[in-house]
Amino acid sequence: MSRPQLPPGQSQHGGATTRTAPLGYQQELRRGVGGFASFAAGFSFVSILTTVFQLFGLGFGLGGASFFWTWPLVFAGQLLVALCFAELAARWPISGAIYQWSSRLAGTTAGWFIGWIMIIGQILTVAAAAIAAQAVLPGIWSGFQIAGGPGADPSVGSATGARNAVLLGCLLLVVTTAVNILGIRHMAAATSFGVTVEIIGVIALVLVLFFLPERGPQVVLHHTGSAGQSGYAGAFLASSLMAAYVMVGFDSAGELAEETHSPRRTVPRTILRALITSGVGGALLILSGLMAAGSLTDGKLAAGGLSWVLTDRLGGVVGRLLLCCVAVAVFACTLAVQTSGARMMYSMAREGALPFHRHLAKVSARTGTPVTTSIVVGAGAAAVLLVNIHQSAIFTALSSLCIALLYLAYLGVTVPLLVSRLRRRAAGGLPAGVDETGRPLFSLGRWAVAVNAVAVLYQAGMTVNLIWPRAEIYDLTGGTWWLRWSALLFIGLSLAVGAGYFLGRRLHRRIELGHVPHTHTEPPREAAAVAEPA
């Protein structure tokens, strides 16, 4: 039996892999992430408690009770994407995963633009995650409603709620930035704790709501509560945005690959586990919420979401205790998204691909953490929040826009991966190899092309759905044209700014950005990891 072929630049010694390529990244980040912490990074980004609580009202308000079916549809599509990512994570376990994978599959120019879009999308996602604090904290204690006082309207659509969301979000970003700066072990411990609390909270919440039903599971078979007035198809597509907003970020485990023990073996598994666990838990959470809601027709479920269901059905004390679990999940989610964005920025900066790259690429000798990128991502998210002080209608648009950018970046990986598979079909697609234990790398085998092709079709369709200029998503004012078209305008502006920088830099240096030859660069071997103090 022939041995599996190792990835380029790798050799095998007793089941371990050793990098032998003349070029490679110097190990600066410290390996302090184990299997559960790697899972926690992806699960925290998805964070069903954070995002389902934040966006349940949106999905129900648009599609009614049957919006539930958008969840398994989106889950199936994203699972196909995650399977493709798992293959790539096994072969290129490098920080800045989306950027690195795209660079190797489509070339450094395409990779740069995908990385640029991903960074912007991640910064916006950090801001959107931080906003969720407003959906939870005032429900725990009215004193958290600082703007306007405890009696003010806490909904983010109101003036006082919007201002308070900015304030709480910025305070949360200060905390997550501090944790990121302290080091990967502190970040891993915080996200692991947050995920543990979140999983316990989801189980407890689902069980409690299932034991307090107002109606049976057949509730998902009708459209009660839908705001659609001209046919249900459009309302159903709009309500699917809730599930699309939630089930992203499972690739975060790949962002921490250089800080993960045995990444070729660990990361593919944790990517899939994070999405599958989120998919199952989220479906049960949505179903139990619909079954337990006091009413589906009085407008309170659409306005208050699951927070209203908790306080209405469980009373103040128990409801607030469960909301505390949600608050922990919001913290872990914001932390995980910020960490992911910081690693993406660091990965591009160390190749000279960003402005001020010498500063952004620095890693603290004491903590083994890219401090500057953590601060920049946190400050960028805070700046996005501050824009919303006088324009509360932007909150909903922000959620859709940030996820649309992530979907575009994901397409920048799956499309060239499909092209590569078709060109190299006779050779088996991606190169084979072994992980740190000597076992074959994760592979889709003969199903690779079919899975990849359907994943691309799903992503393309959902991207169009996300950026479609719906007034109920992008223009809550009802008459601001630039808000309605803000997704296309912002994406176009982001690409234009990126192109201006990229072409100007290329003209100045007369070489292509990303001067490290990506296609020959392998991740640092684990044996070369910097030892952490005991």
Side-chain angles (χ1 to χ4, degrees), residues 382-453:
V384 172
L385 288 179
L386 291 173
V387 173
N388 292 271
I389 289 180
H390 298 295
Q391 181 54 275
S392 59
I394 293 179
F395 279 119
T396 305
L398 175 62
S399 297
S400 193
L401 177 57
C402 67
I403 304 305
L405 289 169
L406 297 187
Y407 265 77
L408 282 174
Y410 286 1
L411 271 171
V413 174
T414 54
V415 169
L417 176 60
L418 179 60
V419 173
S420 176
R421 291 190 197 279
L422 294 174
R423 287 177 176 174
R424 302 178 58 187
R425 195 166 186 175
L430 291 173
V434 295
D435 61 23
E436 293 81 3
T437 66
R439 297 177 181 177
L441 297 176
F442 177 86
S443 175
L444 295 175
R446 61 181 179 177
W447 295 100
V449 173
V451 168
N452 199 161

Side-chain angles (χ1 to χ4, degrees), residues 309-342:
V309 176
L310 278 189
T311 54
D312 179 61
R313 299 291 290 152
L314 303 179
V317 176
V318 178
R320 286 187 178 92
L321 286 175
L322 287 173
L323 282 177
C324 288
C325 294
V326 181
V328 173
V330 171
F331 163 74
C333 176
T334 307
L335 176 63
V337 180
Q338 184 177 0
T339 303
S340 183

Side-chain angles (χ1 to χ4, degrees), residues 457-504:
L457 290 175
Y458 160 75
Q459 287 178 292
M462 186 54 74
T463 301
V464 173
N465 193 29
L466 282 163
I467 64 177
W468 198 263
R470 295 182 177 90
E472 61 267 35
I473 298 296
Y474 290 105
D475 183 19
L476 298 183
T477 67
T480 309
W481 71 268
W482 63 266
L483 277 176
R484 187 163 185 167
W485 293 91
S486 59
L488 288 172
L489 291 172
F490 187 86
I491 291 171
L493 179 62
S494 298
L495 289 173
V497 171
Y501 170 76
F502 183 87
L503 295 175

Side-chain angles (χ1 to χ4, degrees), residues 169-203:
C170 289
L171 291 174
L172 177 58
L173 289 171
V174 171
V175 177
T176 56
T177 301
V179 174
N180 262 308
I181 291 173
L182 288 174
I184 189 61
R185 283 190 172 179
H186 294 83
M187 180 269 170
T191 52
S192 296
F193 172 75
V195 164
T196 301
V197 171
E198 182 168 3
I199 291 175
I200 293 173
V202 169
I203 294 173

Side-chain angles (χ1 to χ4, degrees), residues 273-358:
R273 287 172 183 167
L275 179 61
I276 292 171
T277 305
S278 300
V280 173
L284 294 174
L285 193 58
I286 294 171
L287 179 60
S288 63
L290 290 170
M291 291 172 59
S295 172
L296 301 180
T297 57
D298 62 3
K300 292 182 179 179
L301 183 56
L306 286 183
S307 294
W308 170 75
V309 176
L310 278 189
T311 54
D312 179 61
R313 299 291 290 152
L314 303 179
V317 176
V318 178
R320 286 187 178 92
L321 286 175
L322 287 173
L323 282 177
C324 288
C325 294
V326 181
V328 173
V330 171
F331 163 74
C333 176
T334 307
L335 176 63
V337 180
Q338 184 177 0
T339 303
S340 183
R343 298 307 183 268
M344 174 67 69
M345 189 176 290
Y346 162 77
S347 182
M348 294 184 70
R350 69 178 171 185
E351 299 183 359
L354 291 175
F356 311 108
H357 59 87
R358 289 182 178 85

Side-chain angles (χ1 to χ4, degrees), residues 222-245:
H222 53 78
H223 312 328
T224 304
S226 172
Q229 299 177 350
S230 57
Y232 187 68
F236 185 78
L237 285 175
S239 69
S240 71
L241 299 185
M242 179 267 187
Y245 295 163

